[in-house]
Amino acid sequence: MVTGERQAARIRGFYLKTILRQDIAFFDMEANTGEVVGRMSGDTVLIQDAMGEKVGKFLQLVSTFIGGFLVAFFKGWLLALVLLSSIPLLVASGCLMSIIRSKTASRGQSAYANAANVVEQTIGSIRTVASFTGEKQAINNYKKYLITAYKSCVYEGLASGLSLATVLLVMFTSYGLAILYGSKLILRKVYNGGDVLSVIMAIMTGSMSLGEASPCMSAFVAGKAAAYKMFETIKRRSEIDAYDSKGKILDDIHGDIEFRDVYFSYPARSDEPIFSGFSLYIPSGTTTALVGQSGSGKSTVISLIERFYDPLAGEVLIDGINLKDLQLKWIREKIGLVSQEPVLFSSSIKDNIAYGKDGATYEEIKTASELANAFKFIDKLPQGLDTLVGEHGTQLSGGQKQRVAIARAILKDPRILLLDEATSALDAESEGVVQEALDRIMLNRTTFIVAHRLSTVKNADTIAVIHRGKMVEKVDVRGSKPSC
């Protein structure tokens, strides 16, 4: 039992590590939060059950089965040999029902994973659900997956019942055959009554043990079905691996960034090209604003610099080195990102800001929050930096969440700064103060700004206009002529 728990804990840890080392495309197409949580909580319990006491019990029952037949052959091999003819029927029925149970168990586990995803999305977005009175819809969606899981359990139970019934039918038919043939052997004086009874009892004990092993087989089948998807993910090797220690590590980077004839489409929408020969060069220490209509590819530029995805063709270069040739963990430590939709973890404000730098001191966190114009509202909170932000930061306003995210990026002190609509949630007054802070920290850094407001891009060195995945115009705000 202890061994099973230990193995299940190791599988959980290894599965989580494998999930975290997958590329973003994996989460776009193959996995969702509910599925991962469901497998981490439910499937590992099934694996633990299959690897725990059921193993010892199964070995005991199988040993009893084998021992019973050995005793039967020793006491009366002729009668035992006749009864042995029933074994192929037992094995065939057990194998057939195991296959059926395996398929139904796998279908039920998938349904439970989908149901868990519905719950996670509903609870995590409870304000949106409540505002649109979507509680009934969430319940109906949950019930739909539960009905699928229920049907799978019914089919699995039916298969288990038919399996046991078949085993008992064959077993009791064998008893009748044993008594009939044993009586003939007694009349012929080949065996006496004691020998026949010993053979029947030995065969009966062995057969009953085989029948009692059926629940263990059910646990093994369920554990196998649960482990299949997990180990399928564990075996998956991502081309963009955050744990990969290979790649170049430089003393430092200057921050020159170049997109050279890049072709790209998102894996989930491979038939819709985003970039078709996109090229852009940004010298180090300059600020470039990316403007254009929604869906033109502005945020995709940031995703490629962070190496969330790799281009289908062309190169993304930093300091003249292909981004693929640099160690992923090291280069990401040199890049700071503030997304359009700030993501906060369910912990304190201090922990959320400290996420930007390992071992950050209280003074560093406080300074970063001041630069982001966040410390004023933080200081007014009852617990200050220790105030909990709630699920996904629901205890803070949109502007407050954005400022905490900016403070997190400031604390990282990155060489390359990526701002994806970083001030979009701020009011005019806060935007001006935060923009001033951003202007200060953007000095001597290579900065990308994705924005629609003129106030956000007016201090940029260069404005690049992107339309349908191509740069149609590049304007040097410092006085150079526009280029197309």
Side-chain angles (χ1 to χ4, degrees), residues 127 342 344 377 381 389 392-405 425-427 430:
R127 294 171 185 264
L344 300 185
F377 84 82
L381 297 174
V389 301
H392 301 299
T394 53
Q395 299 301 318
L396 302 180
S397 68
Q400 290 172 341
K401 288 193 292 184
Q402 193 70 287
R403 279 176 275 180
V404 171
L426 304 180
D427 56 72
S430 296

Side-chain angles (χ1 to χ4, degrees), residues 250 253-262 275 278-290 298 300-307 311 315-324 326 330-332 334-336 414-419 444-449 462 464 471 474:
L250 310 178
I253 61 173
H254 298 290
D256 295 320
I257 300 176
E258 181 180 2
F259 286 76
R260 184 180 296 172
D261 199 25
V262 170
F275 290 149
F278 179 78
S279 297
L280 176 65
Y281 175 73
I282 304 300
S284 64
T286 61
T287 299
T288 299
L290 303 177
K298 303 186 301 297
T300 303
V301 171
I302 289 179
S303 295
L304 291 176
I305 294 175
E306 281 277 8
R307 208 189 167 197
E315 296 178 308
V316 179
L317 308 173
I318 294 182
D319 290 352
I321 302 174
N322 194 319
L323 192 58
K324 296 180 181 179
L326 298 171
W330 176 81
I331 192 60
R332 282 182 177 171
K334 303 295 182 181
I335 301 174
R415 191 68 191 86
I416 299 172
L417 185 61
L418 308 176
L419 306 175
N444 300 320
R445 304 177 200 272
T446 305
T447 306
F448 275 89
I449 302 175
T462 305
M471 190 182 69
K474 184 178 179 182

Side-chain angles (χ1 to χ4, degrees), residues 81-312:
L81 192 62
V82 172
L83 295 179
L84 195 62
S85 61
S86 63
I87 298 300
L89 294 175
L90 289 172
V91 174
S93 61
C95 289
L96 179 61
M97 297 306 169
S98 294
I99 293 172
I100 298 174
R101 285 201 305 266
S102 177
K103 291 183 178 179
T104 54
S106 180
R107 193 180 301 118
Q109 287 154 18
S110 297
Y112 279 125
N114 291 329
N117 187 44
V118 171
V119 173
E120 191 277 334
Q121 291 183 351
T122 302
I123 301 303
S125 308
I126 188 61
R127 294 171 185 264
T128 303
V129 173
S131 66
F132 285 93
T133 62
E135 295 88 348
K136 186 175 181 180
Q137 182 179 352
I139 293 173
N140 290 336
N141 290 336
Y142 185 66
K143 284 182 177 179
K144 180 179 68 175
Y145 291 117
L146 285 188
I147 289 173
T148 302
Y150 168 75
K151 290 181 178 179
S152 298
C153 291
V154 170
Y155 294 148
E156 185 179 358
L158 181 62
S160 298
L162 289 175
S163 175
L164 181 59
T166 304
V167 169
L168 292 177
L169 174 64
V170 174
M171 187 173 63
F172 286 118
T173 303
S174 302
Y175 295 160
L177 177 63
I179 293 174
L180 176 63
Y181 188 66
S183 61
K184 292 182 178 180
L185 293 176
I186 292 174
L187 293 175
R188 296 175 185 173
K189 299 189 182 300
V190 177
Y191 298 133
N192 57 40
D195 293 334
V196 172
L197 187 60
S198 297
V199 171
I200 292 176
M201 290 301 297
I203 294 292
M204 181 183 296
T205 303
S207 300
M208 288 297 293
S209 298
L210 186 64
E212 291 176 8
S214 180
C216 298
M217 292 296 295
S218 298
F220 296 154
V221 169
K224 180 182 177 181
Y228 174 76
K229 187 68 176 179
M230 293 186 69
F231 281 101
E232 194 177 51
T233 303
I234 289 174
K235 291 177 182 178
R236 186 182 187 272
R237 290 294 175 262
S238 174
E239 293 183 5
I240 305 175
D241 187 357
Y243 287 87
D244 190 359
S245 59
K246 298 178 182 178
K248 297 179 181 179
I249 298 179
L250 310 178
D251 293 334
D252 199 1
I253 61 173
H254 298 290
D256 295 320
I257 300 176
E258 181 180 2
F259 286 76
R260 184 180 296 172
D261 199 25
V262 170
Y263 289 77
F264 176 75
S265 61
Y266 286 101
R269 306 188 301 272
S270 58
D271 56 338
E272 299 180 13
I274 304 298
F275 290 149
S276 300
F278 179 78
S279 297
L280 176 65
Y281 175 73
I282 304 300
S284 64
T286 61
T287 299
T288 299
L290 303 177
V291 298
Q293 65 184 19
S294 297
S296 60
K298 303 186 301 297
S299 297
T300 303
V301 171
I302 289 179
S303 295
L304 291 176
I305 294 175
E306 281 277 8
R307 208 189 167 197
F308 293 151
Y309 307 93
D310 281 336
L312 301 177

Side-chain angles (χ1 to χ4, degrees), residues 340-362:
Q340 182 176 0
E341 298 177 1
V343 175
L344 300 185
F345 302 98
S346 301
S347 56
S348 66
I349 295 176
K350 182 177 70 175
D351 291 339
N352 273 282
I353 297 177
Y355 199 80
K357 179 182 177 181
D358 290 337
T361 64
Y362 178 84

